Amino acid sequence: MAERINTAVIGAGVIGKRHVDEIAHNDACRLVAIADPSPEAAAYADALNVPYYRDALARDDVHAAIVCTPNHTHLEVGLACIARKLPLLMEKPIADDLDSARALADAAAKAGVAMLVGHHRRHNPAVRAVKQAIEGGRIGKLVLANILCLMYKPDAYFEVPWRRQPGGGPVLINLIHEIDLLRHLCGEIVSVQAVTSNANRGHEVEDSAACTLTLANGALANVSLSDTTSTPWNWDTTAGEDRALFDYRPVPTHFFAGTDGALTLPDLALWSYRGKKGRDQPIHDTHLSFVAENVYAAQLRHFLDVVKGDARPVIDGHDAARTLAATLAVVEASRTSRPATPAPIQ
Ligand SMILES: NC(=O)c1ccc[n+]([C@@H]2O[C@H](COP(=O)([O-])OP(=O)(O)OC[C@H]3O[C@@H](n4cnc5c(N)ncnc54)[C@H](O)[C@@H]3O)[C@@H](O)[C@H]2O)c1
């Protein structure tokens, strides 16, 4: 393999362009192809002076691919990369249904091709700090997590028809990030109860949801979700991961309550009693320290380590399929008005 990793970006829309930017700032890789059938992508590649292809895999000196195509194409594009033995960073969700997710994860594992899935929050240092604190017992036994994912998507967002239809709503677009974060920080989800509503926007797809999850360790979690509420209480606004795209207000949105203390994200407040515990006692707060960094750059660095064989993906195909299974359980629970169990994966 050449010194720099020859990387192709397949699908140069919103997130594809972000990856292109990150590649340009990383000396360990080189962008050798942009592949996307749209004329806009051809013009974009031309403006960057990057070779443009309808099919990047036609080129035989590509060492790694970043797949940023629409969800329903992930299976086909991913299988093509795997057939070429190309390590890949597959954007989230791994696929738009569980059969496709399983097929992709199994194919990568069977072929021995490394696949990292783009649940980028796992590369956020604030998330890493909270994970260490929870696992290190800083809040005792986790009892309850409470997550707010409440935003207002501008009206123009809904001009694209699929965003008004089942599968295009906040459950599969936004909640899946919260579910992955919960699994990463707090453990597996074993049961899901949920109610969804489309009463506010009146689209076929939900605009809001209230979800109660039971975790394998016995803890509970609540997630409040809406794309029609005017609040700052959503990760995009509070975590500051993409300040060019979203306003930045670092107020807490993720609450982790344990028997000995409590933590919030993204501000990393740690609350606890210094002596006797009890609501009649003073409770103190301090802040965990962390060094903020560009999460998409951190994700790319990790991917390149995976490509070189120096690291295992922090989230591989089967892990990402579990996140999808738990997210789809929310859809099922809401449809049947009964608790749902995430479908088993491998
Ligand atoms: N991790 C994140 O923060 C994040 C953010 C946004 C989107 N995403 C994910 O990234 C993916 C793309 O989302 P987006 O918002 O960038 O979409 P988008 O519609 O802006 O871009 C998708 C691009 O893929 C191209 N395309 C379609 N089929 C293709 C094919 N077979 N081969 C090559 N190119 C093809 C389209 O022409 C388009 O330019 C989705 O899976 C989405 O869920 C992740």
Side-chain angles (χ1 to χ4, degrees):
M1 188 181 288
E3 218 172 80
R4 283 184 161 205
I5 294 171
N6 288 345
T7 307
V9 169
I10 305 178
V14 175
I15 198 71
K17 291 192 178 82
R18 178 76 202 245
H19 289 295
V20 165
D21 255 17
E22 298 304 340
I23 292 169
H25 290 97
N26 188 313
D27 290 342
C29 58
R30 167 168 53 207
L31 183 62
V32 296
I34 287 178
D36 186 317
S38 79
E40 292 80 16
Y44 169 69
D46 194 43
L48 292 180
N49 206 16
V50 172
Y52 168 78
Y53 298 86
R54 289 186 73 78
D55 175 11
L57 306 184
R59 194 175 163 143
D60 58 14
D61 63 347
V62 175
H63 303 139
I66 303 185
V67 181
C68 314
T69 57
N71 301 348
H72 69 275
T73 66
H74 286 187
L75 178 63
E76 187 189 338
V77 178
L79 288 179
C81 293
I82 292 164
R84 274 278 312 275
K85 299 270 181 201
L86 267 190
L88 67 159
L89 165 49
M90 169 61 77
E91 262 307 342
K92 51 56 60 178
I94 177 171
D96 61 354
D97 65 65
L98 272 186
D99 286 344
S100 304
R102 284 194 186 96
L104 203 45
D106 288 352
K110 191 164 167 216
V113 172
M115 175 164 57
L116 171 71
V117 180
H119 284 286
H120 64 272
R121 290 188 195 175
R122 293 199 185 201
H123 305 274
N124 188 315
V127 169
R128 242 185 341 259
V130 162
K131 186 167 169 66
Q132 269 171 14
I134 292 176
E135 288 175 359
R138 300 283 296 272
I139 63 169
K141 181 176 179 290
L142 180 72
V143 177
L144 209 136
N146 207 344
I147 292 181
L148 304 180
C149 181
L150 301 171
M151 70 201 78
Y152 196 94
K153 289 184 182 165
D155 297 341
Y157 176 92
F158 297 97
E159 283 164 12
V160 183
W162 67 264
R163 290 178 171 154
R164 306 191 297 267
Q165 290 155 11
V171 169
L172 275 167
I173 303 291
N174 307 100
L175 181 70
I176 191 162
H177 282 297
E178 306 304 346
I179 297 271
D180 190 64
L181 193 67
L182 262 175
R183 290 188 54 245
H184 183 55
L185 294 177
C186 306
E188 286 303 337
I189 293 162
V190 293
S191 175
V192 174
Q193 298 180 63
V195 181
T196 59
S197 165
N198 64 352
N200 302 290
R201 288 195 181 273
H203 297 155
E204 208 185 328
V205 71
E206 78 282 341
D207 54 57
S208 306
C211 317
T212 299
L213 316 169
T214 306
L215 307 183
N217 59 15
L220 304 175
N222 278 316
V223 187
S224 302
L225 173 77
S226 181
D227 65 20
T228 184
T229 50
S230 298
T231 94
W233 305 316
N234 63 85
W235 186 265
D236 289 337
T237 302
T238 63
E241 287 175 343
D242 198 337
R243 296 183 203 178
L245 218 51
F246 305 112
D247 190 22
Y248 176 48
R249 302 284 161 167
V251 294
T253 44
H254 291 56
F255 303 80
F256 302 92
T259 49
D260 295 335
L263 274 164
T264 56
L265 265 174
D267 60 332
L268 291 185
L270 172 63
W271 293 85
S272 60
Y273 294 109
R274 292 203 178 128
K276 206 167 138 196
K277 294 192 282 185
R279 65 181 184 182
D280 54 338
Q281 301 295 316
I283 189 158
H284 300 273
D285 65 320
T286 175
H287 282 80
L288 301 180
S289 62
F290 78 107
V291 180
E293 67 174 323
N294 173 340
V295 288
Y296 293 99
Q299 177 177 249
L300 177 62
R301 281 199 306 278
H302 173 66
F303 177 54
L304 297 175
D305 285 344
V306 167
V307 174
K308 286 184 283 181
D310 294 344
R312 292 168 63 82
V314 297
I315 170 160
D316 66 8
H318 288 110
D319 202 1
R322 283 182 207 107
T323 288
L324 180 64
T327 308
L328 291 174
V330 168
V331 179
E332 178 67 5
S334 143
R335 189 182 65 80
T336 60
S337 302
R338 298 171 61 134
T341 306
I345 303 292
Q346 208 190 37

